[in-house]
Amino acid sequence: MSHQAYKFRIYPNKDQQAFIHQTHGHCRFVYNHFLALWNTSYEEEGKGLNRSIMSKMLTKLKKQEDTAWLRNADSVALQASYENLIDAFQRFFQKQNNYPRFKSKKNPVQSYTTKNTNNNIAIVGNQMKLPKLGLVKFAKSRDIEGRILKATIKYNASGTFYVSVQCEVPDFKPLPQTNEAVGIDLGIPDFAILSTGRKVDNQRFTKKMEQKLKREQRKLSRRYEQAKKEGRNLRACMNYQKQRRRVARLRERVAFQREDFLNKLSTALIRHYDVICIENLNTKGMLKNHKLAKAIADVSWSEFVTKLKYKAKWLDRKIVEIDRFFPSSQLCHACGHRDGKKPLAIRVWTCSSCGTTLDRDINASKNILIEGLRLLKQQP
């Protein structure tokens, strides 16, 4: 069995919206409360809290008069809050992320997770049944398959609500073999250059929206300065909040466009090729180049590779990662002669040994393919 998530936009009524915001606050309180206790326990005793201790303490919190309001929230969502804290510390000790921080109500994205017990999460026509919320209208863009495990309700900065439903589904049937392999060279002028000679255009979603975003952000800055000058609380400034949501919607649209592009491209590649060879790029290091940081962030190479990997795992395809220091742009794919590094302005590769002339990026993708197939043969 595998796990698959389905994301939908939901349209809660005013009472349901109020309960969602309230649950976000309750879960944030539980997370911050136990994080503070964890820090204190570690300073005094040299160890943190465990799941059993936090479970008992949460029960006591619900019985206390000053925190009795916790009983109004979804109990499973409150339990998920300290489970998230445990997971955050485990990732920290494994050096996967930084030390857990306190959650803020000013964070533009708020979410909580609840589990499916006694069929309290289900699809009823064009509505979704959620714990404590009842039936909520949602945009049913596709049918849900498998057994529903849990749901995450999220509120975005744009003022929209989404639900992500995780389901347990049978393993996907492997796609029929195509006996085809491809090397991919990721770039900025062209998003992906295939060893077949095909070039996938870089859509530049952020750049297309840049002028409109700048205009709307200037309006937001002016309204911020005006509110600050008058000494008003930003949460009470309706014009500021309206403009903030408008900017967030523009950014959300860019994110959705990029997500759609990456999903379609990765799915098409997985369907057409049995083996996909790709470079293991140091994206974080490349983002330190301030001249290229915006362009690199816009293309989302790391997200594209992530999608390729999990789809390949689902559908029994192979992804071969080439070492980032492999000189793919310095070798001749025809004879293997190394000419050394050439200026980026030179976009046509000419081998000084055999005289082969080819587009620089296509030559690099062919070298990536050759190296990937070599590594694949060495695998047990």
Side-chain angles (χ1 to χ4, degrees), residues 115-144:
K115 294 182 180 179
N116 183 16
T117 54
N118 299 322
N119 202 33
N120 59 354
I121 302 176
I123 306 298
V124 183
N126 65 339
Q127 294 180 311
M128 184 178 294
K129 185 172 74 171
L130 294 170
K132 292 281 189 175
L133 288 174
L135 295 175
V136 183
K137 291 183 180 179
F138 78 110
K140 190 177 180 181
S141 55
R142 60 183 300 187
D143 293 329
I144 291 181

Side-chain angles (χ1 to χ4, degrees), residues 28 66-67 93 102 121 144 148 185 190 218 232 240 283 310 341 367-368:
R28 186 173 59 247
D66 54 341
T67 53
F93 293 133
F102 291 99
I121 302 176
I144 291 181
I148 297 176
D185 181 39
D190 295 295
R218 281 196 293 268
R232 300 173 61 192
Y240 173 84
T283 308
Y310 76 72
K341 193 172 182 180
N367 284 322
I368 290 171

Side-chain angles (χ1 to χ4, degrees), residues 219-220 223-224 232 234 236-246:
K219 291 181 183 178
L220 183 66
R223 293 181 183 182
Y224 170 81
R232 300 173 61 192
L234 289 178
C237 298
M238 293 299 102
N239 284 336
Y240 173 84
Q241 294 298 331
K242 187 190 297 183
Q243 186 63 25
R244 182 187 60 80
R245 286 191 292 270
R246 185 176 292 124

Side-chain angles (χ1 to χ4, degrees), residues 187-205:
I188 293 177
D190 295 295
F191 176 77
I193 300 91
L194 310 188
S195 56
T196 58
R198 178 192 169 195
K199 292 187 176 183
V200 181
D201 185 38
N202 181 4
Q203 301 295 316
R204 294 178 175 83
F205 298 110

Side-chain angles (χ1 to χ4, degrees), residues 286-305:
M286 297 170 74
L287 285 172
K288 294 178 182 178
N289 183 341
H290 299 297
K291 294 182 179 179
L292 296 175
K294 184 186 291 186
I296 293 172
D298 194 23
V299 290
S300 297
W301 290 329
S302 58
E303 187 177 351
F304 174 66
V305 174

Side-chain angles (χ1 to χ4, degrees), residues 105-116:
K105 65 180 179 180
K106 295 181 180 179
N107 193 316
V109 178
Q110 301 285 341
S111 66
Y112 73 87
T113 301
T114 183
K115 294 182 180 179
N116 183 16

Side-chain angles (χ1 to χ4, degrees), residues 76-213:
V76 178
L78 298 181
Q79 293 169 6
S81 294
Y82 66 70
E83 291 287 351
N84 290 339
L85 179 61
I86 294 172
D87 182 64
F89 271 106
Q90 287 177 347
R91 291 175 181 273
F92 169 70
F93 293 133
Q94 294 170 5
K95 297 183 179 181
Q96 294 180 1
N97 59 4
N98 296 326
Y99 193 86
R101 297 183 299 176
F102 291 99
K103 293 188 176 182
S104 170
K105 65 180 179 180
K106 295 181 180 179
N107 193 316
V109 178
Q110 301 285 341
S111 66
Y112 73 87
T113 301
T114 183
K115 294 182 180 179
N116 183 16
T117 54
N118 299 322
N119 202 33
N120 59 354
I121 302 176
I123 306 298
V124 183
N126 65 339
Q127 294 180 311
M128 184 178 294
K129 185 172 74 171
L130 294 170
K132 292 281 189 175
L133 288 174
L135 295 175
V136 183
K137 291 183 180 179
F138 78 110
K140 190 177 180 181
S141 55
R142 60 183 300 187
D143 293 329
I144 291 181
E145 300 177 1
R147 182 172 66 93
I148 297 176
L149 299 178
K150 57 184 179 181
T152 300
I153 293 88
K154 181 183 291 186
Y155 174 74
N156 283 357
S158 59
T160 53
F161 294 85
Y162 292 89
V163 61
S164 181
V165 182
Q166 187 185 80
C167 299
E168 189 179 51
V169 298
D171 289 335
F172 292 92
K173 293 181 179 180
L175 291 173
Q177 296 291 308
T178 63
N179 299 319
E180 296 285 343
V182 68
I184 303 176
D185 181 39
L186 299 176
I188 293 177
D190 295 295
F191 176 77
I193 300 91
L194 310 188
S195 56
T196 58
R198 178 192 169 195
K199 292 187 176 183
V200 181
D201 185 38
N202 181 4
Q203 301 295 316
R204 294 178 175 83
F205 298 110
T206 302
K207 190 172 183 179
K208 290 177 182 177
M209 194 71 74
E210 191 171 23
Q211 293 303 318
K212 194 170 185 179
L213 263 171

